[in-house]
Amino acid sequence: MSFSNIRIVLVCTTHPGNIGAAARAMKTMGLSCLHLVSPCDFPSGQARALASGATDLLDRAVVVESLAEAVADCEMVIGASARVRGISLPLANPRDMAAEAIGEAARGQVALVFGREDRGLTNEELSLCHRQVHIPADPAFSSLNLAAAVQVISYELRVAAGAGSEGAAEVSVSDRERPVCSEHMEDYYRHLRQTLDAVGFFKSCNPDRIMARLRCLYARSRPDQSEYNILRGILSETQSALQRRPTD
Ligand code: SAH
């Protein structure tokens, strides 16, 4: 069982012990690729103590400054949320998420993203995700410890990767092209915003809100390379047409 295309991303973790415990949780389930976005205290003796025999994951952990950097080469980014947010990203339970993630990982990079201990992921960080996963818990107390959440998700990934489930997961990706990676979609969103601005689309509405809705739309459909080329082409032609238009 190889999880080489699946990474766990911990965003701005405050307590180094949680990084160590998350590494241990991952290793027990066969996951090994850990990315840390601006951890408050790392490397750390406390992280090593809680990692127990999983310090090799800490030694190989990739440390970056932003979530965008951590997922730039990913085709599927899944945010784990203790609360169900207003933003209308597709919401999955851990079992369905794991089946989809394993299917996607057969062909491209997949990231599972976990937020800060005190306030989770920001809306901006969630806007980089294609899916949200929520571990069903008592609605009156639904926030798991960070490493415990990593454990549940890692376990589901292991179960989904087990005998008998690969075939089902493969079907979802086999008959379509691979989606373009996050970095390209960020280029697209910049281009789209520029173009909508140039045609005067944002006149009476809030550009950030419109872009957030559009991101959700594209996160649901996840364009492949040829669809992406068409979308970029439409924007480029729109901009050229605007330049040709006689100024009034
Ligand atoms: N107080 C924060 C919870 C942070 S817990 C909040 O309200 O958002 C730290 C991280 O663990 C979360 O950002 C999330 O990634 C993960 N987590 C905790 N409980 C979870 C749950 N029930 N489902 C999915 N992820 C969860």
Side-chain angles (χ1 to χ4, degrees):
M1 197 176 299
S2 162
F3 290 118
S4 54
N5 282 357
I6 300 188
R7 76 189 60 168
I8 299 290
V9 182
L10 306 183
V11 179
C12 302
T13 309
T14 310
H15 303 295
N18 278 336
I19 299 178
R24 181 175 184 176
M26 288 168 62
K27 190 164 176 172
T28 56
M29 296 297 131
L31 288 149
S32 59
C33 186
L34 176 62
H35 284 52
L36 303 173
V37 177
S38 296
C40 292
D41 181 7
F42 187 83
S44 132
Q46 248 183 310
R48 296 188 82 77
L50 271 286
S52 189
T55 48
D56 52 325
L57 271 67
L58 300 182
D59 295 337
R60 288 200 309 271
V62 179
V63 182
V64 292
E65 280 184 10
S66 69
L67 179 58
E69 271 178 85
V71 302
D73 59 334
C74 292
E75 291 171 3
M76 168 70 105
V77 181
I78 304 166
S81 268
R83 292 167 290 146
V84 179
R85 313 287 184 99
I87 192 158
S88 49
L89 272 182
L91 178 71
N93 64 50
R95 200 142 298 170
D96 294 344
M97 171 284 301
E100 189 178 14
I102 293 294
E104 295 287 339
R107 320 222 357 220
Q109 295 289 323
V110 175
L112 267 304
V113 183
F114 295 80
R116 301 155 184 78
E117 291 93 332
D118 57 346
R119 55 197 172 91
L121 295 167
T122 64
N123 284 337
E124 194 184 330
E125 285 155 358
L126 275 175
S127 75
L128 294 170
C129 300
H130 302 107
R131 302 274 183 277
Q132 246 188 119
V133 61
H134 175 70
I135 301 164
D138 188 330
F141 194 64
S142 65
S143 175
L144 279 71
N145 163 266
L146 171 61
V150 171
Q151 184 77 73
V152 171
I153 297 294
S154 303
Y155 168 74
E156 289 294 344
L157 289 168
R158 186 171 184 84
V159 171
S165 59
E166 287 104 349
E170 287 279 331
V171 175
S172 66
V173 289
S174 60
D175 56 355
R176 70 181 296 240
E177 296 293 319
R178 290 166 54 179
V180 294
C181 65
S182 288
E183 192 175 22
H184 287 167
M185 282 311 291
E186 290 308 310
D187 290 340
Y188 173 71
Y189 293 133
R190 272 188 290 275
H191 197 178
L192 179 59
R193 187 171 182 141
Q194 264 172 17
T195 312
L196 292 177
D197 199 23
V199 300
F201 182 79
F202 295 130
K203 241 185 294 318
S204 59
C205 37
N206 178 341
D208 291 336
R209 189 169 298 171
I210 297 284
M211 289 308 299
R213 296 298 298 269
L214 289 170
R215 276 173 171 273
C216 287
L217 169 72
Y218 288 109
R220 287 201 300 273
S221 59
R222 298 168 63 227
D224 64 27
Q225 188 64 52
S226 64
E227 292 163 341
Y228 176 83
N229 294 342
I230 294 170
L231 291 169
R232 290 296 295 258
I234 292 170
L235 298 182
S236 299
E237 287 302 327
T238 306
Q239 289 186 330
S240 314
L242 275 181
Q243 274 158 16
R244 287 195 301 272
R245 198 176 58 167
T247 45
D248 25 52

